[in-house]
Amino acid sequence: MSRIFGKVAQNGYVVKDIKAAMDHWINVLGVGPWFYVEKVPTDYFRHRGVDSGMQFSAALANSGDLQIELIQQLNDEPSMYKEFLDAGNEGLQHVAYWVTNYDEVYNNALAAGLKVGHEGQIGGPQGRFSYFDTELHPGCVVELSDISGQKGKYFEMIKAASVNWDGKDPIRKVG
């Protein structure tokens, strides 16, 4: 998939208890600091082409160059996160690729036969994201994320905070 998307930038874990998950990553794995948003404000969210009122919490931290995302869905609205949990899973749900040419890569993915499972937007058009379904090949979901705007700067700040992190202030609430 690197021919279409580039390099993996993030591993995304869907969890039932985001605070317990952050605690594990901090105290067992030494990863942090975590930037935690209790309720992520989306501009829109669609699951399989239909608007959904899905709400979620998210926490982000870096382990070296790789960003780790923890996601806890807060309601029962349709999403690929809910499908993942309903199937009895918890843990790694997606790998994310970050791009600044979102439309081009999105269209190339569709042309390659990939289908969007869910998609949305956070903070305007440069905050778009889409998750491609795994129906063509079972396995991890692929996320495409536009980082050409503020999201890209936010991700850079998170990575910088992880360099030489001393373990202090492990959870930083955002918003």
Side-chain angles (χ1 to χ4, degrees):
M1 285 191 279
S2 295
R3 288 183 299 111
I4 296 172
F5 296 106
K7 68 176 187 168
V8 172
Q10 178 197 81
N11 283 351
Y13 296 80
V14 173
V15 299
K16 295 176 185 170
D17 183 338
I18 198 166
K19 291 179 181 175
M22 283 189 288
D23 183 68
H24 174 80
W25 281 89
I26 293 163
N27 294 308
V28 176
L29 302 174
V31 173
W34 289 90
F35 292 81
Y36 171 57
V37 180
E38 195 165 13
K39 185 177 174 190
V40 177
T42 58
D43 300 336
Y44 69 85
F45 185 86
R46 291 186 197 103
H47 176 257
R48 307 203 183 282
V50 177
D51 288 341
S52 171
M54 192 276 303
Q55 297 174 353
F56 67 106
S57 295
L60 300 169
N62 266 64
S63 179
D65 289 334
L66 183 68
Q67 186 181 84
I68 307 298
E69 179 179 35
L70 304 174
I71 296 168
Q72 178 183 343
Q73 186 159 331
L74 301 174
N75 61 12
D76 287 331
E77 291 288 315
S79 76
M80 291 178 80
Y81 310 137
K82 183 175 180 333
E83 291 172 352
F84 183 74
L85 291 170
D86 287 351
N89 301 310
E90 184 175 17
L92 183 65
Q93 186 260 354
H94 70 267
V95 294
Y97 297 85
W98 298 346
V99 297
T100 56
N101 57 338
Y102 185 88
D103 289 327
E104 177 185 347
V105 178
Y106 180 90
N107 289 329
N108 288 342
L110 295 177
L114 297 173
K115 301 214 182 316
V116 175
H118 75 217
E119 61 187 334
Q121 181 174 293
I122 299 168
Q126 293 176 316
R128 295 173 292 176
F129 60 90
S130 52
Y131 286 53
F132 292 94
D133 215 339
T134 57
E135 67 184 34
L136 294 176
H137 182 274
C140 198
V141 170
V142 171
E143 177 189 5
L144 178 63
S145 188
D146 187 344
I147 61 158
S148 61
Q150 285 301 109
K151 188 187 335 177
K153 292 176 181 136
Y154 180 60
F155 288 174
E156 288 173 16
M157 181 274 301
I158 291 168
K159 181 178 178 182
S162 73
V163 177
N164 300 318
W165 176 58
D166 61 4
K168 294 182 180 154
D169 194 17
I171 299 174
R172 301 169 187 188
K173 197 166 182 182
V174 179

